[in-house]
């Protein structure tokens, strides 16, 4: 068994890989290797844990990862939110009126006399009800670009950045710290619990990040869900969106005003109900995959191997977690776009899921699963791989200075 080297984090070394399951249950191929290295991995568990970086350095790595991911995957997030909002009853009128009118005028011989009447300028174009509905992810992209402009695919990006950077800046460093502390404790006192550490650490870290940054998440969802096409009028930003949420609840009573700000956390329960299982599934899938991949590299880890292992593991884990938690994401979106303040405060996840099932059945529960999965896989892969590579680079820089 190769011992962990000083310049490599414990999860990169084969010794750290053995910590995934100290009983040798990770895979039949590596079972003997893990058993032989069990005692050695215990002695090496204190070795260079995640490059021994401080919280500030971890946060810097996480913020950079969040910035890149938010910019790249935002169009898929917009598509997912539009599809879910449409299923919840948000109207999207005028999506193809111009196209219908143009078709009527170009192909008059293929229309009835009634159809030709609609082609007269000033009359209503002949459109079916489906024309004013999004039919899928690509249809969302096509209609947004045609009606609102290419830039609207990045609607809410400022909110995404305002959300992702502090959220991921809290989430990933806290996950690292919680995981390291828990693994150290379970390795010494309850080895059988070690495989479940990523699940618990991910859930706790995500809960902390969600509660802290939730109002910005609320603003982002509303900015992406609602269309406002007014010539010369700039769509409201994060601050104006949040003010618009609070204003209907305001009164002359200061105590009531204070309580009205609770609406900024509308849907927090649904958000936690989605994000905690997502994180639990994601990290409990990601950790064994990346450690098994990196156990092949052993102690000869490089930036390329760290990038490849983390992106692969993150992509797979993010895809699985996103698909599994899609119904909870639909419920979260429905909570956040509810415009009736009193109804928004009284909604709960269970009731919302029942409403979604009643209105759309299984298809309703998985509305937007395509763009959600298409977004989550690359997003998790980008965030985790960038985060780990920057940590690796910072550690190497520190080593050269020393």
């Amino acid at each position: 068994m190769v011992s962990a080297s000083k310049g490599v984090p414990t999860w990169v070394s084969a010794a750290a890989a053995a910590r995934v399951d100290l009983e040798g249950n990770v895979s039949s191929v590596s079972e003997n290797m893990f058993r032989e290295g069990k005692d050695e991995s215990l002695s090496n568990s204190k070795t260079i844990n995640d490059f021994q970086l401080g919280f500030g350095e971890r946060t810097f790595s996480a913020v950079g990862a969040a910035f890149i991911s938010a910019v790249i995957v935002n169009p898929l997030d917009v598509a997912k939110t539009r599809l879910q909002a449409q299923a919840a009853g948000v109207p999207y009128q005028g999506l193809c009126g111009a196209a219908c009118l143009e078709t009527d005028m170009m192909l008059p011989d293929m229309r009835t006399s009634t159809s030709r009447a609609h082609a007269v300028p000033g009359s209503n174009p002949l459109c079916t009800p489906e024309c004013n509905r999004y039919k899928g992810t690509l249809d969302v992209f096509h209609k947004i670009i045609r009606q609102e402009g290419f830039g609207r695919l990045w609607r809410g990006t400022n909110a995404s950045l305002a959300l992702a950077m502090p959220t991921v800046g809290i989430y990933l460093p806290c996950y690292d710290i919680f995981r390291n502390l828990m693994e150290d404790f379970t390795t010494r006192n309850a080895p059988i619990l070690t495989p479940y550490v990523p699940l618990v650490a991910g859930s706790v870290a995500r809960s902390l990040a969600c509660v802290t940054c939730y109002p910005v998440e609320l603003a982002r969802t509303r900015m992406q869900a609602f269309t406002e096409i007014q010539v010369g009028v700039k769509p409201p930003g994060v601050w104006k969106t949040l003010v618009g949420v609070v204003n209907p609840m305001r009164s002359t009573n200061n105590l009531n005003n204070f309580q009205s700000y609770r609406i900024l956390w509308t849907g927090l329960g649904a958000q936690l109900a989605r994000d905690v299982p997502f994180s639990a599934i994601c990290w409990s899938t990601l950790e064994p995959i990346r450690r098994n991949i990196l156990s092949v590299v052993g102690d000869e880890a490089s930036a390329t191997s760290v990038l490849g292992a983390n992106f692969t593991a993150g992509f797979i884990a993010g895809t699985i977690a996103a698909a599994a938690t899609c119904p909870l994401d639909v419920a979260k979106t429905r909570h956040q776009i509810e415009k009736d303040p009193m109804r928004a405060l009284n909604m709960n996840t269970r009731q919302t899921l029942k409403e979604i099932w009643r209105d759309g059945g299984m298809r309703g529960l998985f509305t937007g699963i395509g763009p959600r999965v298409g977004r989550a896989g690359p997003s998790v892969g980008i965030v985790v791989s960038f985060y780990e590579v920057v940590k690796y680079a910072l550690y190497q820089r520190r080593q050269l200075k020393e």
Side-chain angles (χ1 to χ4, degrees):
M1 182 71 178
V2 182
S3 62
S5 67
K6 185 177 181 182
V8 181
T10 52
W11 56 260
V12 174
S13 68
R19 291 164 56 200
V20 176
D21 191 325
L22 294 172
E23 299 302 316
N25 294 323
V26 172
S27 67
S28 58
V29 175
S30 55
E31 184 173 352
N32 292 332
M33 180 184 72
F34 286 154
R35 285 179 177 171
E36 290 171 3
K38 181 176 178 180
D39 294 334
E40 190 173 351
S41 70
L42 290 172
S43 65
N44 285 327
S45 63
K46 296 291 287 183
T47 319
I48 307 301
N49 214 337
D50 278 330
F51 306 114
Q52 292 184 340
L53 296 177
F55 188 85
E57 292 168 304
R58 295 175 192 272
T59 301
F60 174 78
S61 305
V63 167
F67 180 88
I68 292 176
S69 175
V71 172
I72 291 175
V73 303
N74 195 78
L76 285 167
D77 205 34
V78 171
K80 179 213 66 164
T81 302
R82 291 281 180 98
L83 289 170
Q84 292 178 350
Q86 175 178 266
V90 174
Y92 291 107
Q93 299 297 326
L95 295 180
C96 62
C100 286
L101 179 58
E102 183 178 328
T103 301
D104 286 343
M105 297 179 71
M106 290 177 63
L107 304 172
D109 294 336
M110 298 179 65
R111 306 290 185 179
T112 65
S113 57
T114 305
S115 300
R116 291 193 193 98
H118 285 300
V120 177
S123 64
N124 295 323
L126 181 64
C127 288
T128 66
E130 288 300 311
C131 284
N132 287 317
R133 290 186 61 82
Y134 295 122
K135 302 178 183 68
T137 305
L138 294 179
D139 192 47
V140 174
F141 290 158
H142 174 67
K143 288 175 178 173
I144 288 178
I145 292 172
R146 190 179 65 203
Q147 293 293 321
E148 304 173 45
F150 184 76
R152 292 302 287 270
L153 290 175
W154 277 266
R155 172 75 170 134
T157 300
N158 56 343
S160 294
L161 293 173
L163 171 69
M165 293 169 71
T167 299
V168 177
I170 295 170
Y171 177 37
L172 291 183
C174 285
Y175 169 76
D176 274 352
I177 293 168
F178 294 155
R179 183 200 61 205
N180 294 339
L181 292 173
M182 291 178 188
E183 282 192 343
D184 186 60
F185 177 82
T186 57
T187 298
R188 295 175 180 277
N189 301 287
I192 196 172
L193 297 178
T194 302
Y196 305 102
V197 165
L199 185 151
V200 177
S203 299
V204 174
R206 188 63 189 178
S207 298
L208 180 62
C210 277
V211 173
T212 305
C213 305
Y214 183 76
V216 183
E217 166 70 22
L218 177 67
R220 181 186 68 157
T221 301
R222 287 184 170 241
M223 290 168 70
Q224 292 176 341
F226 301 121
T227 59
E228 295 187 24
I229 311 174
Q230 299 180 32
V231 178
V233 178
K234 185 179 180 181
V238 177
W239 179 252
K240 281 190 175 181
T241 301
L242 291 177
V243 169
V245 172
V246 174
N247 276 342
M249 298 288 292
R250 294 183 66 86
S251 69
T252 56
N253 188 303
N254 289 331
L255 178 60
N256 288 341
N257 279 338
F258 178 76
Q259 292 178 343
S260 72
Y261 285 98
R262 287 187 306 143
I263 200 170
L264 293 179
W265 277 264
T266 297
L268 176 60
Q271 177 89 5
L272 291 173
R274 182 200 70 172
D275 281 7
V276 171
F278 179 93
S279 293
I281 295 169
C282 184
W283 288 111
S284 58
T285 304
L286 188 151
E287 289 287 2
I289 292 175
R290 76 172 173 185
R291 289 179 176 180
N292 279 328
I293 293 173
L294 286 165
S295 68
V296 177
V297 180
D299 296 335
E300 302 301 321
S302 65
T304 303
S305 60
V306 170
L307 175 67
N310 280 280
F311 183 82
T312 301
F315 187 93
I316 295 171
T319 299
I320 294 171
T325 58
C326 187
L328 297 169
D329 184 62
V330 176
K332 187 266 311 182
T333 300
R334 189 163 291 199
H335 271 183
Q336 292 176 334
I337 64 174
E338 176 57 54
K339 288 192 171 183
D340 183 345
M342 296 310 298
R343 175 173 160 76
L345 289 172
N346 294 323
M347 291 173 73
N348 63 56
T349 303
R350 184 179 177 183
Q351 290 175 343
T352 305
L353 288 172
K354 284 184 177 179
E355 288 181 8
I356 296 168
W357 174 264
R358 183 193 64 209
D359 297 339
M362 187 64 69
R363 184 175 181 179
L365 289 173
F366 286 89
T367 301
I369 188 172
R372 173 165 167 77
V373 169
R375 172 194 181 281
S379 179
V380 174
I382 291 168
V383 167
V384 175
S385 57
F386 186 90
Y387 176 61
E388 295 296 343
V389 167
V390 173
K391 282 167 55 181
Y392 180 88
L394 289 173
Y395 179 75
Q396 293 297 326
R397 182 182 178 185
R398 176 186 290 182
Q399 288 296 97
L400 289 175
K401 287 184 177 180
E402 293 176 357

